[in-house]
Structure formats: structure tokens, C-alpha cells
Amino acid sequence: MTSRQRNTFPLVSIAVVPVLEADWMALSAALTELATEDPNFTYSIDFESDQTILKGESDLHLDSKIDRLKRIYSIEVKVGSPQVAYRETLTRVVVIDHTFKKQKGGSGQFARVKIQFEPLPTGSGFIFENEVVGGAVPNDYVSGVEKGLQASRDNGVLAGYPLIDFKATLVDGAYHEIDSNEVTFEIATRAAFRELKELKAVSLLEPIMRVEVVTPDDFTGGVVADLVARHGIVQVADQRGDAKVITAVVPLANMLGYTVALGRLSQERAQFTLGFDHYSIVQAGDDDPGFFPGAIAMRA
């Protein structure tokens, strides 16, 4: 049995709450309309923090939605700081053999899973395969293994970000006639997944963006220096009439708020476009990426 799922995650999130308590229902209706119009924009509700989480391609993309809430729907909201949606990735092939065993009085719980985890090429998504033979894990319980993997991969093992582009193969296991069921195999699988952290087999990924800046010649030096300071790699600087076209790849975390910064650098005369390019492993010693908190401080 083989199953596959692609990666479908946004790059940036912000939290919002309406300024007026009476606008909660109107906010939900407005966001539903905006999400219907734009497939790259989604939202969800965090009931623990009582916030609505907007998700999109960039902080500029989400700013446009906030602007529409105000102009078209007359809804004022308090907005949290943008949070980059990091990912997690396997760095090597590992095999984990985990046994879950619990005894309580006369009844017990038991499941053993042996799973091989391996990284896949970028864009491959998640693949699950069952290669168990001889009935070591009954087919009725294999679904518990897949459920455990699905739930675990969404939260990763390092910092709560999704683990992407990997294959998990159930190669062996064991069960008990009375103490095993689908749930015990899901629990055993979740525990096996957590062992990836102890084995140091997972790294953090950050989104790298392709940036194109069109600026008057006079500001080229300042724009290039600023991109380099943002850990960007300038790839092209072409002439287009009286303007310079600068192309670079820059970590998305370092591009948050770039609209304001570029305006200052160019006296509001430069423009830029931003698009996703690829994911890259966050190197040891890089700045802390500021993991997405459960509740985000609001700004008016």
C-alpha cells in the first residue's frame, strides 16, 4: 500500500482580532469571501488565543487583505507581527524500531512498529508505504500507523513546523491479539516519529525568495548594500532605460517590512516584486527564526 500527499503550506502568517467585538461575525464572512477569491490566501481560528490567523505568500500579500478589510468591509483589526512559516526536513535515512507497551490491571496496550524514514527530492511531498509481510502488522492496524504519521508530520519534531518531502515505510512490527488495536499503533508511530529529534535526523528549512528591485541609478548602491545586509545574494543588475533592475535571492524572514525600508532608501521611487524561489536549510549559528508563538502580541 502506498499513499502520497503534496506540500500545500503558505509562507507567512499574521494574527488579527477585530477592534470592535461586534465585528467578529462580519470578519469571518469577509475573510471567507477573500479566501474564495484568492487560492493563495487562507485563514483559520485559534480558539486558545481567540485570534484569527491569516496565511499567505508574503507580508505584502497579507497587508493587501488587511487593507481590503478596512476599505471594502469597513472592519478595523489589530494585527500581529508577521511570522515566517518555516519547514522541517529529513537529512538522512534512519530506521526506528519502537515498542509501545502499557499494562493496567488486567488489560494492556501493545504495538511495535519499525519504520524507515528517508528524505525525498524537493516537491515530492509525503509518501507512506506498507512493506510488512507475513501478517506482522494486520492491515486493520496499518491505518493507525498512517494516522500517526499524518498527525506528526504536520507539527514536525524541532519547532512545530511541518516536516516535508519524505517517505516513511513500515517495514516490520508486532501486535498482541488482545492488547493491540488501531489506536495503539498510532501511539507507537507518534513516539517513533519523535525519536527523529533525538537522532538529529531533522533540520529546519527557511523559504528563500527571489526579489526584483527596479530603482533609479542614483540609489543602486544603497539598495544592493541593503540586500546584502539582509543575507541576500545579488544575481543580476541590468540597465532598463534610466533605471537599474536588481535581482537577488533573500531569506523571507529578512524581507519582512521591506516595503518601508526600500521607500526610505529610494525616496519612494523604487519598486519591487517578491516570489518564492526555494527552501534552504537554516545553518547552525544563524539567528533564531522567531518560532510562531501560540499567542501573538497585537499592534493597532
Side-chain angles (χ1 to χ4, degrees):
M1 179 183 73
T2 302
S3 66
R4 176 189 292 267
Q5 284 197 0
R6 296 288 182 181
N7 306 315
T8 54
F9 301 102
L11 297 175
V12 177
S13 301
I14 57 174
V16 300
V17 295
V19 172
L20 301 178
E21 191 73 21
D23 280 343
W24 271 111
M25 293 297 291
L27 175 62
S28 178
L31 291 175
T32 298
E33 286 188 18
L34 293 175
T36 301
E37 297 170 0
D38 184 352
N40 295 317
F41 170 72
T42 63
Y43 76 96
S44 60
I45 298 174
D46 185 335
F47 291 101
E48 289 188 6
S49 62
D50 204 25
Q51 296 171 347
T52 298
I53 311 301
L54 312 188
K55 304 173 185 179
E57 299 174 304
S58 67
D59 58 334
L60 194 62
H61 182 209
L62 295 180
D63 282 347
S64 71
K65 304 304 179 186
I66 299 299
D67 180 62
R68 291 193 67 188
L69 286 175
K70 181 178 180 179
R71 288 190 300 103
I72 299 176
Y73 299 97
S74 300
I75 301 173
E76 294 280 355
V77 293
K78 296 179 182 178
V79 185
S81 299
Q83 305 292 319
V84 172
Y86 290 81
R87 305 287 180 262
E88 299 180 13
T89 185
L90 282 172
T91 55
R92 58 190 175 89
V93 177
V94 292
V95 178
I96 296 176
D97 194 333
H98 184 88
T99 298
F100 167 65
K101 188 175 183 179
K102 191 173 183 181
Q103 196 72 33
K104 244 188 180 181
S107 62
Q109 295 177 295
F110 177 86
R112 172 180 164 252
V113 294
K114 186 176 182 180
I115 302 172
Q116 176 174 293
F117 295 89
E118 57 187 295
L120 294 176
T122 300
S124 298
F126 165 64
I127 298 175
F128 170 69
E129 286 191 358
N130 174 26
E131 293 186 356
V132 172
V133 295
V137 179
N139 288 334
D140 289 347
Y141 301 159
V142 172
S143 59
V145 176
E146 188 166 13
K147 285 181 181 178
L149 290 168
Q150 296 280 14
S152 297
R153 77 184 186 95
D154 288 344
N155 297 309
V157 297
L158 293 179
Y161 296 107
L163 185 71
I164 63 173
D165 297 328
F166 74 102
K167 179 180 178 181
T169 305
L170 181 64
V171 295
D172 199 7
Y175 74 103
H176 186 275
E177 289 286 353
I178 298 174
D179 296 341
S180 296
N181 53 46
E182 184 184 35
V183 174
T184 61
F185 274 88
E186 181 177 346
I187 293 171
T189 300
R190 286 173 179 260
F193 194 93
R194 288 194 294 270
E195 290 186 26
L196 290 171
K197 181 177 182 178
E198 299 168 18
L199 294 172
K200 300 186 185 302
V202 178
S203 288
L204 196 66
L205 290 172
E206 64 177 340
I208 306 297
M209 309 300 284
R210 177 168 292 276
V211 187
E212 184 182 272
V213 182
V214 181
T215 178
D217 276 335
D218 294 347
F219 306 110
T220 300
V223 170
V224 170
D226 179 71
L227 290 172
V228 171
R230 295 171 186 271
H231 295 178
I233 299 174
V234 177
Q235 298 178 323
V236 179
D238 291 331
Q239 198 71 32
R240 184 184 297 171
D242 295 331
K244 190 75 79 176
V245 181
I246 303 162
T247 303
V249 288
V250 190
L252 176 56
N254 299 337
M255 292 300 293
L256 299 179
Y258 187 63
T259 302
V260 175
L262 183 62
R264 287 198 299 261
L265 286 168
S266 67
Q267 298 176 14
E268 307 294 341
R269 295 171 62 191
Q271 296 180 326
F272 77 100
T273 57
L274 190 69
F276 174 74
D277 192 79
H278 66 282
Y279 281 104
S280 179
I281 290 177
V282 176
Q283 301 300 317
D286 280 3
D287 293 338
D288 185 292
F291 300 137
F292 190 87
I296 305 172
M298 291 289 110
R299 58 180 169 85

